[in-house]
Amino acid sequence: MLENCKNAQERWGGVSQIIDRWLQSRQALLVSFCQLSDHKEFSDNDKAAEGSVRILCQQLVDYVSAGHFEVYDQLIQEGQAFGDTEGLQQAKALYREIDGTTDVAVDFNDKYQETDDLSALAQDLSELGVALETRFAAEDRMIDTLHTAHKNQLA
């Protein structure tokens, strides 16, 4: 039994580090988002704003990709390893909620990654902000459901 606990700690303790790095990238994304959102108007050929938008787009794509291709998989695997059927069911519903926000993030990136037309940026940032708020709340619930819930079993 002690060996099983040790193996669980070794196997799933690393998930905390993955989540920590991911949440740090979320914080950087939010800082960039807020700095850009502070502008009330954007003009064409505003090189500083264009650069900030491109940075935001890169952070957004990196963050969303890490969630879909690394973090969520780790959380699901952890839930499966602990036989957490209820948590996995909740995660499935949360994933659908998260997935809906992915389209908003991808659309934002596709629109602004290669353009200098910032005329609709304020409105698009507002829409992105709503999607990010929804996404972050669902991701936090998924972490609580599939990782934090098992912390005592790892100790």
Side-chain angles (χ1 to χ4, degrees):
M1 187 160 124
L2 181 58
E3 188 63 31
N4 286 343
C5 289
K6 183 179 174 185
N7 289 339
Q9 175 61 39
E10 288 172 0
R11 183 164 184 195
W12 302 115
V15 175
S16 292
Q17 293 172 347
I18 291 168
I19 291 170
D20 288 347
R21 279 194 312 270
W22 185 56
L23 293 177
Q24 287 171 350
S25 71
R26 178 196 285 184
Q27 184 175 354
L29 170 65
L30 280 171
V31 167
S32 294
F33 176 84
C34 289
Q35 288 173 340
L36 199 54
S37 295
D38 282 345
H39 292 80
K40 300 302 175 210
E41 292 183 23
F42 297 94
S43 61
D44 290 342
N45 298 319
D46 180 344
K47 297 301 178 194
E50 288 174 26
S52 295
V53 170
R54 287 196 177 87
I55 290 169
L56 177 65
C57 285
Q58 186 60 53
Q59 289 172 322
L60 184 62
V61 168
D62 289 348
Y63 179 82
V64 168
S65 296
H68 282 287
F69 299 114
E70 185 177 8
V71 178
Y72 307 151
D73 288 342
Q74 289 292 319
L75 291 171
I76 296 297
Q77 288 176 21
E78 184 176 346
Q80 290 169 339
F82 285 100
D84 189 352
T85 307
E86 184 180 327
L88 291 168
Q89 283 299 108
Q90 290 174 13
K92 203 179 282 187
L94 291 168
Y95 187 82
R96 282 191 295 275
E97 192 174 333
I98 291 166
D99 204 36
T101 68
T102 300
D103 292 337
V104 175
V106 169
D107 289 347
F108 182 91
N109 178 70
D110 290 349
K111 182 174 183 178
Y112 288 104
Q113 187 60 40
E114 297 297 329
T115 187
D116 60 356
D117 179 6
L118 305 180
S119 59
L121 182 58
Q123 177 60 38
D124 291 341
L125 281 169
S126 178
E127 182 181 336
L128 179 62
V130 170
L132 289 176
E133 184 176 5
T134 299
R135 181 184 199 92
F136 296 158
E139 289 171 343
D140 289 347
R141 289 192 313 267
M142 186 181 284
I143 291 168
D144 283 343
T145 300
L146 292 176
H147 181 65
T148 307
H150 306 125
K151 267 197 165 162
N152 290 337
Q153 293 171 295
L154 295 176

